[in-house]
Amino acid sequence: MSIAYLVTHSGGFHADELLSSVILTRLYPQARIVRSRDAEWITPAPDRVIYDVGRDHDPARLIFDHHQKNPPLRDDGQPYSSFGLIWRQFGMDYLRASGLPEDDLAPVHASFDADFVLPVDLVDNGALSPSGPLGDLSLPVLLESLKPVFDQRGDEAENRAFDGALTIARAFVEAAIARKAAKLRAEAVVMQAIAAAGDSPILELPMGMPFRSAIDKAGADHMLFVVHPRETDWMLAGIRRDPEGFALRADLPASWAGLTDAALEAASGVPGAKFCHNARFIAVAADRSAALELARLAVAEADAQTEA
């Protein structure tokens, strides 16, 4: 199949067709984006993919709209936007084109759909409203904020803004996919470290990396702290009690809070102790032995508090 055109609607753009364009331009880099509502363009033909326009959804004819009277729905009844429809049809091919290992395709596809695509679908359909202090900083709102202002409209201004927003949207998609792929790579490393740690409540990693999913998967509920090297020092971090929220399984000792260098060395009794955050969720040490000693002391205090 030779796709020469990627056709979406003209006028003001939204996050769903922008993000759909990210996927499609990766798969069809030679194709030209055409933003139009003219019947000659939004009618299915072998040389084009049509999305977010045309009032029809038929993957066999490469048209992916969700504005018709009976729009396509997910298995759970939640609505699709054009982004969800394009991801369902082309997402696996996009991930292959991005160089992901075959074994990672399905989990990354599902995770990206749940965490990134679905929220865009819901916002676009009015089923979810960005609200609260961070509402204006949600991705759909930020992307749509790149549209021309009310008195700078016109096809040239709209298309120029669309092109600029597409570059930004592409960066977000690529970064999200890269992080999800990296999380899978990290998971294998962390699982090995958990096995090596055995019954120890201290998990030592070879570098900073995502670790929570592996801890949950391994059922390592006994683990309290993670240590790993950084560029010039070592990090000690608490493990969150739940995937959501900031409460830790165990806090660092209260007597360390906010201390640095000599003051922290004196309070902890550990040469090489460099910093403890005032919120007691991370500390920094000069080397591995100092980081492990801080971790052991933190575990001992947590155990004492539990017994008390």
Side-chain angles (χ1 to χ4, degrees):
M1 182 186 303
S2 179
I3 299 298
Y5 305 104
L6 305 174
V7 182
T8 190
H9 62 81
S10 56
F13 56 80
H14 303 96
D16 64 328
E17 77 264 22
L18 266 176
L19 294 163
S20 297
S21 300
V22 170
I23 307 304
L24 294 170
T25 53
R26 179 64 180 265
L27 297 175
Y28 304 107
Q30 78 288 346
R32 176 167 66 92
I33 294 177
V34 176
R35 303 184 67 239
S36 175
R37 299 180 189 272
D38 293 345
E40 63 181 292
W41 279 114
I42 64 174
T43 299
D47 64 349
R48 67 196 60 177
V49 179
I50 303 168
Y51 53 104
D52 210 41
V53 71
R55 297 187 179 275
D56 193 9
H57 174 241
D58 186 351
R61 297 190 302 148
L62 297 180
I63 182 168
F64 303 89
D65 197 13
H66 67 108
H67 296 102
Q68 53 271 35
K69 184 176 181 180
N70 296 305
L73 301 175
R74 294 171 179 267
D75 292 340
D76 61 2
Q78 296 190 96
Y80 280 107
S81 73
S82 63
F83 186 33
L85 296 174
I86 290 295
W87 183 250
R88 184 174 68 171
Q89 182 72 17
F90 298 98
M92 293 289 277
D93 291 337
Y94 176 88
L95 295 176
R96 286 192 182 92
S98 300
L100 269 67
E102 195 70 22
D103 289 346
D104 292 352
L105 295 180
V108 171
H109 186 277
S111 177
F112 186 75
D113 183 65
D115 299 340
F116 196 109
V117 181
L118 176 59
V120 174
D121 286 354
L122 296 179
V123 170
D124 189 80
N125 283 283
L128 177 66
S129 177
S131 60
L134 297 179
D136 286 347
L137 299 180
S138 66
L139 183 61
V141 174
L142 286 173
L143 290 176
E144 291 182 30
S145 73
L146 300 174
K147 293 187 290 189
V149 294
F150 78 96
D151 54 357
Q152 293 180 353
R153 295 293 175 87
D155 289 346
E156 183 177 348
E158 295 279 4
N159 291 335
R160 185 168 57 248
F162 183 93
D163 291 343
L166 180 58
T167 299
I168 295 171
R170 180 176 291 112
F172 277 108
V173 170
E174 291 177 350
I177 294 296
R179 292 180 70 85
K180 290 185 177 298
K183 185 177 180 180
L184 289 179
R185 296 196 302 274
E187 192 171 271
V189 176
V190 178
M191 291 294 280
Q192 291 178 347
I194 291 172
D199 294 333
S200 172
I202 302 169
L203 176 63
E204 182 177 351
L205 298 176
M207 64 186 73
M209 63 183 67
F211 56 79
R212 178 68 201 217
S213 63
I215 288 177
D216 290 341
K217 182 176 290 187
D221 296 334
H222 63 289
M223 290 189 155
L224 302 180
F225 297 101
V226 175
V227 297
H228 64 80
R230 302 196 303 181
E231 291 183 2
T232 59
D233 53 26
W234 279 67
M235 172 75 77
L236 164 62
I239 297 173
R240 291 184 181 182
R241 188 181 303 158
D242 302 299
E244 302 295 332
F246 295 98
L248 301 178
R249 294 179 176 180
D251 294 316
L252 295 173
S255 60
W256 301 357
L259 300 183
T260 60
D261 302 327
L264 182 57
E265 288 185 337
S268 65
V270 178
K274 296 177 65 176
F275 167 76
C276 180
H277 196 283
N278 198 49
R280 300 159 53 202
F281 66 98
I282 57 168
V284 177
D287 52 39
R288 177 177 180 269
S289 62
L292 289 173
E293 183 60 22
L294 287 173
R296 283 190 285 268
L297 291 170
V299 168
E301 176 152 323
D303 289 344
Q305 290 180 354
T306 300
E307 293 173 2

